[in-house]
Each structure stands twice: as C-alpha cells, then as structure tokens.
Amino acid sequence: MFLTITTTGTPARPATDLGYLLHKHPDSAQQFSTSYGVAHVFYPEADAERCTAALLLEVDAVALVRRGKGKGRGGAPDAALAQYVNDRPYAASSLLAVAIGNVFSSALRGVCRALPEAPAQPRPLRVEVPALPARGGPDLVRSLFEPLGWTVAAEPVALDTAFPEWGDSRYVGLVLESETLTLSAALRHLYVLLPVLDDAKHYWVASEEVDKLLRAGEGWLSAHPEQQLITSRYLSRRWSLTRQAMERLELVRLAETDDSEVEDIDNAVEEETETEEKPTPLAVQRREAILAALKRVGAARVLDLGCGQGQLVQALLKDPSFTEVVGVDVSIRALTIASRRLRLDRMGERQAARVRLLQGSLAYTDRRLKGYDAAVLSEVIEHLDLPRLPALEYAVFGAARPRTVLVTTPNVEYNVRWETLPAGHRRHGDHRFEWTREEFRAWAHRVAERHGYGVQFTPVGPDDPEVGPPTQMAVFETNTADTGTTAVATKEAKAA
C-alpha cells in the first residue's frame, strides 16, 4: 500500500514545513511497527519549492491468513487460494487508514509544537493513492471527495491491459488536489473515506468506532451530502451504531444552525444522571461463560486446573451451589497471591471447608484430582509446549476423569481485531501456541474420541462473523453409555 502527500512552497513559507506538520524529518527514513506489518515514512523529494512525504505500508499477508483475515475480498470465505492471493498488501484499505492514524496522529489532530500556527493554515496539497478499491466506482469517489473541496481524478484500473474487453476492475488510481484545505483536514478525510470506499474493515467494529468517526468527521461530516452512506459503511453497516452516529451528527448540525454548542442542544438529561456503558472485559466474559456452563451441567465439586491468582476460584465461591472448589497450579507464587485474594486466613470455618489450593503439575497424574464433577482449564493449554500436551490430556481426561471438562483458549483468528497487537505476535509472551477454530476443534474431537467424552463448542465474547470469537470454549462431557470403550481408550492413551 502506498500513499504520497505533496505540497509546494515559497522561500517565506517553504514546502519542507510538511516535515514539521507530520512530525517526520525529511532527511530520515523511518519505520513503525503495526498490528499487520511495517509502515515506512520517507521523502522522495524535499526542498523549499516542493516536498513529498510517502507512506509505504508493508502488510504481512501470511500473518493475516493465520490470524483469520487474509480472505480475498469478494471471494468465498472458505476459498483456500483466496486467503493468500488477495489485494491486502497492494490496495488502500482500513489497514492504511489505521496506519495514518498511528503514524501521523499529531498531524491528524492538527498539533505542531515547532510551528503552532501552521496546522490551521491551508496549503497546496496533492494526494496520490495508486490503487484504491472503490465499491461504487469513480463516480462514488468524486461524490465523496468533491464536496470537501478536492479536485478529483479517479482513473479506473483495467482488469488486464492485455485484454481490454474484460473491462475495468473495481480499483482506481486516485489523485486529489486542493489549495484550500489544511493538512489535518486532508488526513481526516482519508482516514474516514479510505475504508468507506473499500466498504470493509480488517478489525471488529465496536461502539468506540462511533467516537472515532465523529472525531475525524468534525467540521465536515455533518453537512456532507453522502453522510448516510459514509456513516453506514464506516461502521460496517451495523444498524445500531449507524443510528447512534446519525443521531449525534444531527445534534451537531442543529448546534451549527443555531450557532450554539452541542451540550446546549442535548440538555434533556442532567449531566450527573448520565451513565456510559463500558464494555465488559474479556476475562469477565470468560468467567461468566464458565460459570454458566458449570451451572448447566449441575456441577457441585469443581477443579480449577491452572488457577493462577485465583480469580475463577473466587467467583465460584460466591455461588453456594458449588460445594467444593479446588484450585491447582504449579506456581507457588501464584498460589500465594490466590490465598491473599481469597483471604483464606480470615475466612470463616464453613467457607474455608469449601476451598483448597494445591500445588501440582498438570503434566502428571494426581490422585487428589479424582472424583470431581467438573474440571476447568481456562487459558491453560496454550502455555504448554505442544509435545507436553498429550501428558496433560491423559492426566485430566484419562486419570482424573471428571464428569465434565471445560477448556478455553484464545482464538488466534481474532487477534487481527486488536489494532495494537503487532503482526505475528501472540497475545501473551508465554503462549507456546494459539489455535484457529479449526485447529482447536480438531484437537478437542481427538481428545473426546480417545477418552470417551462428547464435546460441544461455545463462543466467548463478541462472535465476529468472519474471524469468530476472541475466546473459544469446549465443553467435554463423559459418554457414560460407552464405559467399555472408554476403558480401552484410556489404556491406549496411557500406553501412548
């Protein structure tokens, strides 16, 4: 992906002021790590008369495939070839928009300490995007940019110059020119309209995207003739978010018409009575899903295997239906912290009788773990080296053999939704692996078949239609109707 911004100047106001505005020195080539590759900023030309800044984004296409977002646009979701042969490394998209927001954040906000007055000054600007996906064609490109003060040249790119009868692709070569816009306004236009034209985003669109849209659209979106289309596409056509954004944009329009502040218009509710709903942390959603599953199977005596600092143990103890809770971890330090969290030294006798903390390794069989209704392995398996995983499988499913086993683990496909997670990185430095949904299901089915369990799968967290949920959970339940096969399978597993 490639984008250039060019300006011209005079000796009194040199074009190289662009370096101050972008906070990137023209004499230096810089690179920045992003969640999907590396962004490079350099200046092909820089003198007093003309200065050009280039943003080159190298996208790690293989990492995108492994993390679940490498599918070719317009292709079938399960098309294996389309996962690797696609336009993401080459065409402008939300990937480039996020890079603009990260790399040019100060310029986007109109902040420049070296030249405080410069961000508010219009200057000659020329923006070039060689490959821009445009669902709607050149006409839509013009209808989006021209009302904002741009002179637009959007040349369709042929599908194949050797076969002109095939017609044009959905890509255009874009050139924008203006004498009346500030650099901040130009960047905010690009930040919003690049993903709008592509009509896709590489990450999950949540409620905070409304705030991003309104911040970047301040001063121009409320009066734009294509406001509805821009809002809907930017928010991935999520109706509830689009309605929320449109209502807030209408307040902005009314305030501008009345020459007043938005707060003066939107004053039906006293400020102190307003509450902002905050998203529930994933760790909390995971514990709630585990508790719901344990309640569903009627478990009373529960093992928390790999209990860490005792958050799940604490949650289990709050529900009197769990009559015995045992936390197991190999780390003495973690168990010490868990003991403090639970205040075991101050706990009443009746409550203390319900809980135990044990030090032990899940790679070895342990007689103390037999006879329980359920065992939980929450975010545990990914911390083991893969060659040691069969030992854990036998210790839990073969030797301890609780009636129900719950296993949660990260869904690596969802990692692409976190903008701050560098490409190819796992969510935690101690994770030895992170599985796709297909890999996790294949492992779970093998374990269930070998040890005589049935298995079902439950998403935890927002279930993205393309990459699935952030956490995947498998619920194993013993197949009591096939005890003979179970015994044979357990012997085979032990021998293995």
Side-chain angles (χ1 to χ4, degrees), residues 246-324:
M246 293 296 292
E247 290 173 350
R248 292 171 63 179
L249 284 168
E250 178 63 14
L251 285 173
V252 172
R253 187 191 67 79
L254 291 172
E256 291 175 348
T257 302
D258 197 39
D259 195 21
S260 60
E261 299 295 327
V262 172
E263 292 77 10
D264 297 332
I265 299 293
D266 188 21
N267 59 2
V269 180
E270 295 294 333
E271 183 176 353
E272 60 266 20
T273 65
E274 294 179 357
T275 58
E276 181 178 352
E277 184 177 347
K278 296 181 179 180
T280 304
L282 181 58
V284 175
Q285 295 182 59
R286 191 160 47 235
R287 286 196 293 273
E288 290 175 347
I290 290 169
L291 290 170
L294 291 172
K295 297 281 283 185
R296 181 182 62 80
V297 300
R301 304 176 66 237
V302 179
L303 297 167
D304 181 8
L305 304 178
C307 66
Q309 298 179 15
Q311 291 93 333
L312 179 59
V313 172
Q314 186 177 45
L316 289 166
L317 288 175
K318 291 179 180 178
D319 190 328
S321 65
F322 300 112
T323 58
E324 183 178 354

Side-chain angles (χ1 to χ4, degrees), residues 233-391:
R233 284 195 178 191
Y234 186 86
L235 298 171
S236 296
R237 303 180 189 273
R238 293 191 63 187
W239 177 80
S240 61
L241 297 183
T242 301
R243 183 182 65 178
Q244 178 184 344
M246 293 296 292
E247 290 173 350
R248 292 171 63 179
L249 284 168
E250 178 63 14
L251 285 173
V252 172
R253 187 191 67 79
L254 291 172
E256 291 175 348
T257 302
D258 197 39
D259 195 21
S260 60
E261 299 295 327
V262 172
E263 292 77 10
D264 297 332
I265 299 293
D266 188 21
N267 59 2
V269 180
E270 295 294 333
E271 183 176 353
E272 60 266 20
T273 65
E274 294 179 357
T275 58
E276 181 178 352
E277 184 177 347
K278 296 181 179 180
T280 304
L282 181 58
V284 175
Q285 295 182 59
R286 191 160 47 235
R287 286 196 293 273
E288 290 175 347
I290 290 169
L291 290 170
L294 291 172
K295 297 281 283 185
R296 181 182 62 80
V297 300
R301 304 176 66 237
V302 179
L303 297 167
D304 181 8
L305 304 178
C307 66
Q309 298 179 15
Q311 291 93 333
L312 179 59
V313 172
Q314 186 177 45
L316 289 166
L317 288 175
K318 291 179 180 178
D319 190 328
S321 65
F322 300 112
T323 58
E324 183 178 354
V325 181
V326 178
V328 181
D329 204 284
V330 71
S331 169
I332 292 293
R333 182 172 181 271
L335 292 173
T336 300
I337 295 174
S339 177
R340 291 173 184 166
R341 176 188 296 276
L342 299 171
R343 299 183 178 181
L344 291 183
D345 56 338
R346 302 179 187 177
M347 191 175 287
E349 184 176 346
R350 179 177 298 181
Q351 185 80 331
R354 294 175 57 211
V355 60
R356 284 191 297 158
L357 297 179
L358 304 177
Q359 197 263 338
S361 171
L362 301 181
Y364 303 96
T365 60
D366 191 334
R367 293 180 181 178
R368 297 174 297 176
L369 307 185
K370 289 185 177 181
Y372 285 84
D373 298 329
V376 179
L377 291 158
S378 180
E379 310 300 284
V380 170
I381 60 173
E382 64 274 9
H383 291 272
L384 273 70
D385 293 317
L386 282 170
R388 302 189 68 187
L389 198 52

